[in-house]
Amino acid sequence: SVRLYDMRSYAKGPFTTFNLAGPPVVFHHLTFSSDGKTILLPSASEAIDLIDAFDGNLLNTFSGHVNTRGLMLEATFTPDGQFVLSGSEDGTVHVWHAESGQEVAVLQ
């Protein structure tokens, strides 16, 4: 699950919790899009999930990068929020269109 807290009142607990569908996934951080409408969840698997920041619904799953060792790879949005970038175990950087989920580039 994803729990969101207001740091000014952390002791009160999360103001919302999203229970994610599917098998449990280990992720170490989350990244909000610049408009605050979506959340990127990079994980120790070979998939990166994009969820709606208001209801937690899965919007997209990005795959294609290599992560056979279960590393905590980084992923982020471009400043305009149009693309998602992630490192890969093989040293490449993968780029996906955030809305469509289509991989658009692999940088060497």
Side-chain angles (χ1 to χ4, degrees):
S1 64
V2 175
R3 296 181 184 107
L4 299 181
Y5 293 81
D6 182 336
M7 293 307 295
R8 297 168 295 186
S9 56
Y10 183 82
K12 292 181 181 179
F15 62 85
T16 193
T17 300
F18 303 133
N19 293 312
L20 304 176
V25 175
V26 175
F27 59 93
H28 61 95
H29 74 278
L30 55 82
T31 303
F32 280 87
S33 59
S34 59
D35 63 7
K37 294 180 180 179
T38 57
I39 301 172
L40 192 59
L41 299 171
S43 70
S45 72
E46 291 187 356
I48 300 166
D49 289 336
L50 181 68
I51 64 171
D52 185 285
F54 297 97
D55 60 21
N57 286 331
L58 181 65
L59 300 174
N60 234 322
T61 299
F62 308 104
S63 59
H65 61 293
V66 179
N67 193 12
T68 58
R69 296 184 297 174
L71 302 172
M72 291 297 193
L73 298 175
E74 293 293 326
T76 191
F77 291 99
T78 55
D80 62 5
Q82 295 290 311
F83 299 95
V84 170
L85 292 87
S86 174
S88 182
E89 188 178 289
D90 62 4
T92 60
V93 175
H94 291 250
V95 183
W96 297 269
H97 188 267
E99 189 175 320
S100 72
Q102 181 178 2
E103 188 172 59
V104 296
V106 177
L107 308 173
Q108 300 291 326

